[in-house]
Amino acid sequence: QLQLVESGGGLVEFGGSLRLSCAASGFSLNSYSVGWFRQAPGKEREGVSCISMVDDSTYYRDSVNGRFTISRDYAENTVYLQMKSLKPEDTAVYYCAAGQFGSCSSGFVPYNQDYWGQGTQVTVSS
């Protein structure tokens, strides 16, 4: 079965850290750009960070730049999102997604993704 499975979400205090994992089964992430989206209650899904299939170049939305780091472990077939200095406004369900587009700056949108994970809740208390 081809799927993405996220883990690592939870409840953390303001300023804390979490690391999300996105593991693929049934296919290799090596041939995909992989990103993280998030969706808070009553809001649209938004792209948070992406790592390109071409050269592992990365993209971050402005509000997380400098606090979040995306990385890829080829051996583990897993992509990680390290989140530091978390804020209450980071509270959302986080989804990983994989798509075969080369550029995160232009291709990192929901309709370009071929696979989605089930989501993991991140809650930051103030």
Side-chain angles (χ1 to χ4, degrees), residues 52-125:
S52 169
M53 61 184 281
V54 174
D55 56 3
D56 280 350
S57 57
T58 56
Y59 158 85
Y60 300 95
R61 69 181 299 109
D62 288 347
S63 61
V64 308
N65 198 19
R67 300 187 296 120
F68 290 11
T69 303
I70 191 169
S71 61
R72 184 197 294 268
D73 187 323
Y74 286 94
E76 296 294 325
N77 204 24
T78 299
V79 169
Y80 300 98
L81 185 68
Q82 178 69 52
M83 306 185 294
K84 298 181 179 180
S85 302
L86 283 162
K87 306 174 181 181
E89 51 263 44
D90 294 317
T91 295
V93 178
Y94 283 69
Y95 300 89
C96 71
Q100 292 187 308
F101 53 92
S103 170
C104 285
S105 60
S106 60
F108 183 46
V109 291
Y111 61 78
N112 268 351
Q113 312 308 313
D114 299 311
Y115 300 100
W116 288 87
Q118 81 285 356
T120 186
Q121 177 70 46
V122 172
T123 303
V124 185
S125 62

